[in-house]
Amino acid sequence: MQLFTAVLATETNTFSPICIDRRAFEASLYAAPGEHPATPTLCSAPLTVGRRVCAEKGWTLIEGTATWADPAGLINKATYEGLRDEILDQLRAAMPVDGVVLGLHGAMVADGYLDPEGDFLGRVREIVGPDILVCAELDPHSHLTAKRVEATDFFVVFKEFPHTDFVDRAEDLWRIAVDTLEGKIKPVMSVFDCKMIDVFPTSREPMRSFVDGLHKLEEEDDDILSLSVIHGFMAGDVPEMGTKMIAVTNGVPEKGAQLARMLGLQLFANRGCHMMEQLTVDAAVSQAMVSAAGPVVIADMWDNPGGGTAGDATIILAELLKRGADGVAVGTIWDPIAVQICFAAGAGAEIPLRFGAKSAPGTGDPIDGRVRIVKLQRNAEMRFGESYAPFGDAAYIRLNGIDVILNSVRAQSFDPSLFSVMGIDPVQQKILVIKSTNHFHASFSKIAAEILYCSAGTPYPNSPAQTPYRHVRRDIWPMMETPHGTEAV
Ligand SMILES: [Zn+2]
């Protein structure tokens, strides 16, 4: 057997001012064929798992380019076309192949392309023909367009949010691919359109039990090869944005369709109840400041660079400064200009500095003050599960008793190690302010006395009924109340 694998992934917040080109892919992850490290990042697990599986089977795995850009705004047109064509050329050169196993994210939008993955998968299908296996792993924060479903035999999607299971799902993807190539199964994909958009953290109910239920169904019923929820990504203004339920069965599409519908309507019945409670800035800061135990984590949940925002909002910090809070560490605020100034001044210097809130409206005002530069770190990295996430050259500054980490590569606050690598002991702080919607939960919950989700300003289009979409369909909840008619609850 000869298989081809490649990775092409990012998540596009079409409302973000941070447009990206090829440099953004190169800065996050760009591996030429054969050069991907042994450790996977979020969307490249199909490649690393594929190496192991094919080595065990004695099969040939031909690697194409593997690239991922951290979530941001629109992708430059020539950049998307260039990366796409690079991989398609590699696939052509690898032909004939018995299967194509891809690592995608599923929420790319490029200038001129509202469905880049549909375009890409369609071209892959054209090259390999109708009978060759094409499958991919996806992030649930993606758009499942008809074009993608048409071009692909099956998808496996991360079940967990935070995405702690991207390697496990790549194992599922490969197990189904191997069994298919060995003639043991015939996977068919059934999709149900939930006609809704919501946010579905699996760290809490009702989604925790729902995902546990999916695993149970997969284990108990031999007809079911894989069950996945496409959560949808509300910051992507594309026509087919929304929540979908996928059932991959062993040759029983009607059963798959029934199951996908039943499960999809369960999600619909719980619409609006999946999200965690959100506090105002005033409430979050008040609650954190009176807490006896530390550290209290305040998640600036909507200024999440992992959702494509700049990550430079200052609203929570400004409130803490106003109230004279101490024992506070903020990680991170993205400001490459301020970082450059801090490096020029040097560690130990005390300088006037303006930082933060320069990129987008709804993120507060830049902070001005006389800051002390405590520590500078080139190419800083934090842990993210089994791998590392870079946050670039970083400066640890102190202003009025509050510690702030300024970073130059936008990064979601995945892990408390972002503080420790800068010389701040996170456990000794009373309050930690971080930028993340929910990915932080897996690691920060281990050290936090309390976690507060704070909705501060409007850095992200988090209210779909009010968001000024140009392309998104209007026949989904919450834009309309009864998209399934009155039959569904
Ligand atoms: Zn995601």
Side-chain angles (χ1 to χ4, degrees), residues 7-10 18-33 35 64-70 72-87 89-90 110:
V7 179
L8 178 54
T10 187
I18 315 292
C19 293
I20 60 168
D21 61 8
R22 193 176 171 105
R23 279 174 299 183
F25 285 88
E26 288 169 353
S28 298
L29 170 72
Y30 179 85
E35 288 177 11
T65 297
T67 190
W68 148 263
D70 282 291
L74 203 65
I75 309 168
N76 172 295
K77 186 176 189 195
T79 295
Y80 165 65
E81 291 175 344
L83 291 169
R84 174 196 70 191
D85 293 346
E86 179 177 322
I87 293 171
D89 286 344
Q90 292 159 348

Side-chain angles (χ1 to χ4, degrees), residues 251-264:
V252 284
E254 301 80 15
K255 180 173 174 175
Q258 265 178 13
L259 186 60
R261 178 185 162 79
M262 189 265 286
L263 292 165

Side-chain angles (χ1 to χ4, degrees), residues 160-179:
E160 299 293 336
F161 173 39
H163 302 325
T164 49
D165 64 332
F166 59 92
V167 175
D168 296 330
R169 300 292 77 78
E171 298 278 358
D172 290 352
L173 182 79
W174 273 98
R175 193 183 60 248
I176 298 168
V178 166
D179 287 351

Side-chain angles (χ1 to χ4, degrees), residues 377-432:
Q377 177 70 46
R378 293 270 180 212
N379 300 315
E381 288 185 323
M382 70 184 108
R383 287 206 68 90
F384 177 35
E386 297 298 299
S387 58
Y388 288 89
F391 56 101
D393 294 347
Y396 160 18
I397 60 170
R398 183 170 291 155
L399 172 63
N400 298 346
I402 293 187
D403 293 336
V404 179
I405 297 169
L406 303 174
N407 59 326
S408 54
V409 170
R410 293 166 45 253
Q412 172 168 200
S413 311
F414 287 118
D415 187 277
S417 59
L418 81 89
F419 292 103
S420 33
V421 297
M422 296 305 296
I424 298 171
D425 182 353
V427 182
Q428 296 304 316
Q429 307 301 312
K430 286 189 225 160
I431 300 173
L432 298 172

Side-chain angles (χ1 to χ4, degrees), residues 11 105 139 141 163 439:
E11 178 183 80
H105 180 289
D139 185 295
H141 301 114
H163 302 325
H439 277 115

